[in-house]
């Protein structure tokens, strides 16, 4: 009876040991640590493909290559998204700057000249200050015309101005450099223009059109106009 019981227990131990050996000792060479990476029939031995394990009963370790690859891919994707967002922000900023620059109005290029005008030795007192525009002295049309004894006729429909004194006649057009001296067309240095509700004309052009002489004194910044 005792012999039968011992034989039974021995059989169970041998079967369990054989089963464990079968799981731990599946085909494949081991490295210096006593383990290796599963590449063949992994599921048969209860392992995952690429899982590192030991044949001496030690624990198993999954391959780190897949984990490292995933981390690298995640970092690369994150960096790429960040770079793209930065470029988009920069482009939007440049576009905004360009739009603001184009919409900004340009400052006028005319300013007060401080010019003093004499007609036949008498200084004229202007209600509207003489101006300088593109290096050209501009005088208020009606005031200089009255100061020289000339008459002014303005056509609202055509924007033309007729100035007459004795046998002299001059025709100007707002915004145009073309001037007619007794019917003969010539090009002026600047066009007549309306500034702050006042019509201004180039001093030299106006004086010449009425047959007067003119001398500019740079030291005193004065204009001497003479006529008979």
């Amino acid at each position: 009876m005792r012999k039968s019981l011992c034989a039974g227990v021995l059989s169970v131990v041998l079967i369990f040991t054989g089963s464990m050996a079968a799981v731990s000792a599946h085909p494949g060479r081991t490295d210096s640590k006593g383990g290796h990476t599963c590449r063949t029939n992994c599921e048969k031995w209860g392992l995952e493909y690429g899982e590192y394990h030991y044949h001496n009963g030690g624990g198993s370790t999954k391959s780190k290559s897949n984990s490292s690859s995933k981390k690298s891919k995640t970092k690369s994707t994150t960096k790429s998204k960040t770079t793209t967002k930065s470029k988009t922000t920069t482009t939007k900023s440049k576009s905004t700057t360009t739009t603001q620059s184009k919409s900004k109005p340009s400052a006028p290029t005319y300013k007060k000249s401080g010019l003093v005008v004499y007609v036949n030795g008498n200084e004229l007192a202007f209600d509207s200050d003489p101006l300088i525009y593109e290096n050209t002295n501009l005088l208020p049309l009606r005031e200089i015309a009255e100061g020289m004894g000339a008459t002014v006729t303005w056509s609202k429909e055509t924007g033309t101005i007729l100035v007459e004194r004795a046998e002299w006649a001059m025709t100007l057009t707002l915004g145009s450099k073309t001037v007619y001296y007794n019917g003969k067309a010539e090009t002026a240095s600047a066009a007549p223009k309306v500034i702050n509700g006042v019509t201004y004309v180039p001093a030299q052009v106006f004086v010449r059109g009425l047959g007067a002489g003119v001398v500019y004194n740079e030291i005193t910044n004065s204009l001497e106009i003479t006529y008979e």
Side-chain angles (χ1 to χ4, degrees):
M1 182 67 178
R2 288 182 178 178
K3 290 182 179 181
S4 299
L5 181 60
C6 290
V9 171
L10 180 61
S11 299
V12 171
V13 170
L14 289 175
I15 292 171
F16 180 76
T17 303
S19 176
M20 289 296 293
V23 172
S24 301
H26 70 86
R29 295 182 180 181
T30 59
D31 55 23
S32 59
K33 297 180 180 180
H36 77 159
T37 302
C38 181
R39 301 295 184 189
T40 307
N41 298 326
C42 299
E43 294 181 358
K44 178 180 179 181
W45 306 104
L47 302 170
E48 295 182 7
Y49 181 82
E51 181 177 348
Y52 185 87
H53 61 283
Y54 297 93
H55 277 205
N56 57 2
S60 62
T61 305
K62 293 184 179 181
S63 174
K64 295 181 179 181
S65 59
N66 291 338
S67 178
S68 299
S69 177
K70 290 180 179 180
K71 288 182 179 179
S72 176
K73 185 175 180 182
T74 302
K75 288 182 178 179
S76 177
T77 304
T78 303
K79 184 177 181 181
S80 177
K81 288 182 179 180
T82 303
T83 304
T84 303
K85 184 177 180 180
S86 178
K87 289 182 178 179
T88 303
T89 303
T90 303
T91 302
K92 183 177 180 181
S93 177
K94 288 183 178 179
S95 176
T96 302
T97 303
T98 303
T99 302
Q100 290 178 348
S101 177
K102 288 183 177 180
S103 61
K104 185 178 180 180
S106 57
T109 55
Y110 56 83
K111 59 182 180 180
K112 295 179 181 180
S113 65
L115 183 69
V116 179
V117 180
Y118 296 91
V119 176
N120 287 340
N122 298 315
E123 181 180 349
L124 292 183
F126 293 105
D127 292 330
S128 301
D129 294 313
L131 304 176
I132 189 165
Y133 175 81
E134 295 181 351
N135 297 320
T136 301
N137 282 305
L138 302 178
L139 299 177
L141 170 63
R142 190 166 296 278
E143 292 183 60
I144 185 61
E146 292 176 353
M148 294 181 63
T151 58
V152 178
T153 304
W154 180 62
S155 174
K156 184 177 179 180
E157 289 75 16
T158 61
T160 58
I161 304 165
L162 174 64
V163 183
E164 298 175 293
R165 186 186 70 83
E167 73 274 19
W168 301 92
M170 174 176 54
T171 304
L172 308 95
T173 304
L174 289 175
S176 174
K177 290 185 179 182
T178 302
V179 181
Y180 293 90
Y181 299 116
N182 287 339
K184 184 179 180 180
E186 291 189 23
T187 301
S189 58
K193 58 180 74 271
V194 177
I195 302 172
N196 296 329
V198 178
T199 302
Y200 281 85
V201 293
Q204 295 279 4
V205 173
F206 188 86
V207 172
R208 179 189 169 189
L210 296 182
V214 61
V215 177
Y216 174 68
N217 189 322
E218 186 176 358
I219 298 176
T220 60
N221 189 30
S222 61
L223 208 62
E224 296 277 353
I225 300 173
T226 58
Y227 65 93
E228 295 181 357

